[in-house]
Amino acid sequence: MKTVLAGGVVVTCDDEHTVFNPGDVVLDDDIVCYVGPSYQGEYDTRLYVGGKLVMPGLINAHTHSGMSIFRSLADDVDLMVFLRDRVWPREVKLTADDVYAGSLLSGIEMLRAGITTYVDMYFLEEELARAAVDVGLRALITPAILGVPVWAPILGSLERQIERSFDFCRRWEGRHGRIHTGLGPHSPYTVPLEFLAELAHQAQEEHLPVNIHLLETKQERDSYDFSGRGIVVTLEDIGFFDGPVISAHSVWLSEGDYEIYARNRVGVAHCPQSNAKLGCGLAPVVEMLANGIAVGLGTDSACTNNNLDLWEEMRLAPLLAKLCALDPTPLPATQALWLATRLGGQAVHLPDIGVLREGFRADLIVLNLADTVAVPVFSPETYLAHLVYAFSARQVDAVWVNGSQVVRGGEVLTVDVEAARCAAQAAALSLTERMAG
Ligand SMILES: [Zn+2]
């Protein structure tokens, strides 16, 4: 079925930053089949979107959706205190219902912020997948694998976790045209190298991406001891990068690491707000981009952010890059917009999302321009700057994922939002009671 979104400002996020004003976008079921000036072909439905802006849905390259029920429970502490004292003791008591409730809450929040794809790493992965299916988002779900003693009674041995993860991937990959799967070894400091090598090789055989936290803190970098070789060099040596890898954070890369990332097409999930809140440092985004590395943006969890609003990351990434460089020219608006869209798609190894172009997935958002922050407009290109420096999730009016409309008039159409909010609140309180007991 062909649906025309007609007469809007169309921001394509293509190679030339093309903006059609006015322009039409035509969806043929789950695929975009036309983007350009006035569409003259046949169609089934025509929606007039004059006074609105149409663009690719945003891509959240890194989050842990189940953690929204821990929001604001572990603030103002460093990463190790965050994990070992605040989060892990709670997580080991999570039930499947808790994870579904948290994941659904996150999904609603992301949809309302115009996110159409997210990369998830968490436990009880069946619940993550169910929540993604129910809320209507595209998700790359990577079951978390963690070799930490406190987790052993819950998750079982690392061998068992790896086996279970591949089983999950085989059962869920491709479902509904919008569930994608991969492996989620938490980090090199929680999963020993021999297991990282083994799971990476198996993932490569099964054409699955691997999603890992890497070099998030200076302490992490200093903790590795591989005879003077860095962790990135060591991971390349064991073949970890021979298949698609998404590296979250990558704050503390060394000079030679850029070439290794570029050579192996490692995608990076840059999480500026989480990194700032945990005092981790600023990832070298400008250097990574200059070296041809695909960098996307991630909110990280609602526990280190504390929301899942990627508009904030899209603005913060260039602001921090400029602040750190004492120079306003690095990471201009057009490039920041790409981080949240086309480069995000490349970073998470889903190359047919993030651009409004014929043949790409029908994942797009419509923004309301009847807003003070959308004035003035001097040329179509003004919108590219507005999107990064002036707009926010407030403008999100409608969302399509895989050709299905899931948000209309700012309201989520797929699930009962109030029921989901209550369920998440109840899950958070019940978990707190179980902790006390
Ligand atoms: Zn994370």
Side-chain angles (χ1 to χ4, degrees):
M1 192 174 100
K2 280 189 178 169
T3 304
V4 185
L5 305 184
V9 177
V10 178
V11 172
T12 62
C13 296
D14 68 4
D15 296 348
E16 287 82 35
H17 307 286
T18 307
V19 178
F20 296 102
N21 184 19
D24 290 355
V25 177
V26 184
L27 316 182
D28 187 0
D29 291 328
D30 55 349
I31 299 293
V32 172
C33 68
Y34 175 86
V35 179
S38 184
Y39 174 71
Q40 302 297 327
E42 294 182 351
Y43 59 86
D44 300 287
T45 308
R46 185 176 187 276
L47 299 171
Y48 179 64
V49 291
K52 295 181 178 178
L53 184 150
V54 187
M55 65 176 285
L58 306 185
I59 297 163
N60 186 356
H62 184 73
T63 192
H64 310 277
S65 69
M67 291 179 76
S68 57
I69 62 170
F70 302 147
R71 196 190 319 261
S72 301
L73 258 180
D75 297 335
D76 310 322
V77 292
D78 77 24
L79 180 62
M80 283 305 136
V81 174
F82 172 88
L83 289 175
R84 289 178 183 156
D85 296 350
R86 305 289 180 89
V87 173
W88 287 345
R90 285 184 169 268
E91 284 181 325
V92 296
K93 293 190 182 296
L94 281 172
T95 65
D97 287 347
D98 295 336
V99 171
Y100 178 82
S103 191
L104 196 67
L105 189 76
S106 293
I108 291 166
E109 191 178 333
M110 287 192 276
L111 269 190
R112 280 181 162 167
I115 291 165
T116 52
T117 296
Y118 65 106
V119 177
D120 207 356
M121 179 202 287
Y122 211 55
F123 316 96
L124 295 163
E125 52 275 5
E126 306 282 333
E127 305 307 317
L128 307 181
R130 279 207 309 126
V133 166
D134 291 350
V135 80
L137 274 155
R138 182 180 304 287
L140 167 53
I141 297 172
T142 62
I145 295 168
L146 200 58
V148 175
V150 67
W151 279 98
I154 315 295
L155 297 177
S157 65
L158 277 170
E159 290 89 345
R160 178 76 193 99
Q161 291 179 51
I162 292 169
E163 192 183 316
R164 199 168 56 225
S165 296
F166 280 104
D167 176 59
F168 168 82
C169 294
R170 286 174 204 130
R171 285 184 294 107
W172 282 90
E173 178 61 37
R175 282 206 206 177
H176 305 274
R178 55 186 171 79
I179 301 299
H180 311 266
T181 62
L183 279 291
H186 174 266
S187 66
Y189 63 88
T190 52
V191 181
L193 274 188
E194 59 268 32
F195 287 95
L196 291 177
E198 181 191 317
L199 73 85
H201 291 150
Q202 197 177 336
Q204 289 152 20
E205 278 174 20
E206 303 200 22
H207 306 290
L208 293 166
V210 179
N211 180 26
I212 189 166
H213 296 100
L214 203 50
L215 293 172
E216 183 172 1
T217 65
K218 187 165 180 293
Q219 293 89 324
E220 179 193 340
R221 186 196 65 183
D222 295 345
S223 72
Y224 297 124
D225 182 15
F226 302 112
S227 310
R229 296 160 74 77
I231 183 64
V232 172
V233 174
T234 304
L235 287 173
E236 187 184 42
D237 286 348
I238 64 169
F240 187 76
F241 296 134
D242 289 352
V245 170
I246 305 164
S247 167
H249 305 304
S250 299
V251 174
W252 290 94
L253 293 179
S254 302
E255 193 62 40
D257 295 344
Y258 301 128
E259 200 185 317
I260 295 176
Y261 270 27
R263 184 164 61 230
N264 293 285
R265 298 186 180 279
V266 174
V268 171
H270 174 40
C271 306
Q273 200 160 192
S274 174
N275 295 156
K277 186 160 177 279
L278 286 167
C280 297
L282 178 64
V285 180
V286 175
E287 290 80 358
M288 287 194 270
L289 291 170
N291 279 276
I293 297 164
V295 180
L297 294 174
T299 57
D300 215 338
S301 79
C303 217
T304 58
N305 189 302
N306 291 352
N307 62 40
L308 305 179
D309 181 350
L310 205 75
W311 293 87
E312 294 182 0
E313 324 302 320
M314 186 162 64
R315 183 174 310 156
L316 192 59
L319 295 186
L320 290 179
K322 293 166 198 301
L323 182 66
C324 194
L326 300 179
D327 176 359
T329 58
L331 209 54
T334 46
Q335 212 169 22
L337 185 60
W338 273 4
L339 299 183
T341 55
R342 61 176 292 132
L343 284 175
Q346 292 168 19
V348 305
H349 305 284
L350 295 172
D352 57 353
I353 60 171
V355 182
L356 284 185
R357 180 186 290 163
E358 191 181 327
F360 274 52
R361 299 292 191 139
D363 294 358
L364 55 92
I365 60 178
V366 176
L367 309 179
N368 194 349
L369 297 177
D371 194 302
T372 50
V373 296
V375 179
V377 176
F378 302 103
S379 69
E381 288 68 38
T382 307
Y383 289 110
L384 303 178
H386 281 355
L387 281 165
V388 175
Y389 294 129
F391 283 12
S392 66
R394 185 176 75 197
Q395 272 74 51
V396 175
D397 178 62
V399 179
W400 274 259
V401 178
N402 210 40
S404 296
Q405 187 169 9
V406 288
V407 174
R408 183 188 300 129
E411 298 299 325
V412 173
L413 303 174
T414 46
V415 292
D416 182 336
V417 172
E418 187 55 21
R421 208 175 61 78
C422 293
Q425 171 70 15
L429 290 187
S430 157
L431 184 60
T432 302
E433 280 169 22
R434 293 203 299 279
M435 290 288 294

